[in-house]
Amino acid sequence: MPSTFATPLSPNAQRLNRMAHIIAPSLLSADFADLKSAVALVDQSPAPWLHLDVMDGVFVPNISFGFPVIKAIRTHTKKVFDVHLMIVDPDKYITAFRDAGADNLTVHYEACPHLHRSIQAIKGAGMKAGVAINPHTSVALLEDVLADLDLVCIMSVNPGFGGQSFIERTYGKITELKALRERTGSKALIEIDGGVGEQNLERLVSTGADVLVAGNSVFGTADPSAAISKLSSL
Ligand code: DX5
Ligand code: ZN
């Protein structure tokens, strides 16, 4: 994993002589009536990131939460806020998300006609810049911006909902992105979002994933703390 984001190695990563992966539990699958407890649970877990899915009902067919919620939970943890914008015209809101507490800000390739400008604006606002690509979008389309990115989020489901089935083509996209990353000298982390769990995490990491978003496989279980520990140790 490129070194812009440092994280301790799990025992398994040490044994397999590979870099640690980052688990980013997604708040989308938590109990929205008790977000404080969900944030506290992640805060006390080994997961270094908290993934926050912002949906506008236009770019995706669902609406989740926005600035007030992010701002409210910001005071309860110092974990990295990995904000995934599934909204049209994200440029309008870049500084507002920074002010709400975002550390990483990821915009969708499909929502940004001037992607290079959006990336520069995110970095100029002091955040790490990410780009997410939908399942139908080829990683090759990122070639001209990859060296500027801190993170690429490969959507392994169609964005909008938690708890969907993982799309198998994702493995091939990770391999392609890894090669492109090497060729362009990029240090971007490879994040996988959607349908990630115990059943596919090891193969994703060994293929080249650095960051694994986990919604349903954490908050959909009887013991989310244990689920995060398990996913972190694989
Ligand atoms: C989907 C979101 C995901 C979602 C993943 O549009 O971007 O972050 O929370 O949920 P799971 O892990 O349940 O597929
Ligand atoms: Zn997401």
Side-chain angles (χ1 to χ4, degrees):
M1 179 193 305
S3 59
T4 43
F5 297 89
T7 184
L9 286 180
S10 71
N12 205 29
Q14 288 177 35
R15 186 174 57 79
L16 297 169
N17 195 25
R18 61 157 161 76
M19 299 303 284
H21 57 277
I22 292 171
I23 297 296
S26 171
L27 208 61
L28 189 66
S29 296
D31 176 2
F32 279 15
D34 192 9
L35 286 181
K36 204 178 193 172
S37 303
V39 172
L41 186 146
V42 174
D43 187 57
Q44 284 148 35
S45 81
W49 291 13
L50 178 61
H51 186 81
L52 299 168
D53 290 300
V54 176
M55 304 178 184
D56 66 355
V58 180
F59 181 69
V60 287
N62 196 8
I63 299 178
S64 56
F65 51 78
F67 319 116
V69 170
I70 297 174
K71 202 169 177 184
I73 62 173
R74 182 69 282 186
T75 54
H76 294 277
T77 181
K78 291 193 163 48
K79 298 276 177 175
V80 170
F81 274 12
D82 182 43
V83 177
H84 175 193
L85 298 185
M86 285 159 274
I87 64 174
V88 295
D89 215 352
D91 295 20
K92 275 194 200 163
Y93 307 105
I94 288 171
T95 53
F97 279 107
R98 190 265 322 273
D99 295 344
D103 297 296
N104 308 337
L105 197 63
T106 295
V107 294
H108 263 264
Y109 174 88
E110 302 82 6
C112 295
H114 304 287
L115 186 61
H116 182 273
R117 181 186 292 152
S118 306
I119 293 164
Q120 304 313 320
I122 293 169
K123 289 164 69 158
M127 295 173 284
K128 304 273 190 196
V131 170
I133 53 171
N134 277 339
H136 73 273
T137 301
S138 165
V139 299
L141 293 166
L142 296 178
E143 177 166 3
D144 293 336
V145 291
L146 198 53
D148 292 329
L149 289 177
D150 298 298
L151 180 76
V152 173
C153 176
I154 299 178
M155 291 306 301
S156 38
V157 297
N158 285 292
F161 303 93
Q164 302 182 80
S165 302
F166 179 83
I167 296 170
E168 295 288 317
R169 164 76 182 114
T170 305
Y171 296 112
K173 290 175 92 164
I174 297 172
T175 304
E176 289 158 16
L177 182 55
K178 253 183 90 173
L180 196 59
R181 184 170 68 178
E182 231 159 80
R183 192 148 59 76
T184 57
S186 167
K187 292 190 173 9
L189 297 186
I190 300 175
E191 178 176 66
I192 306 303
D193 188 3
V196 174
E198 267 182 51
Q199 72 290 352
N200 54 17
L201 188 136
E202 285 200 76
R203 184 172 167 201
L204 287 166
V205 172
S206 60
T207 307
D210 303 307
V211 185
L212 292 309
V213 175
N216 206 46
S217 62
V218 167
F219 291 107
T221 67
D223 189 345
S225 300
I228 296 174
S229 297
K230 182 80 200 285
L231 294 172
S232 303
S233 69
L234 286 172

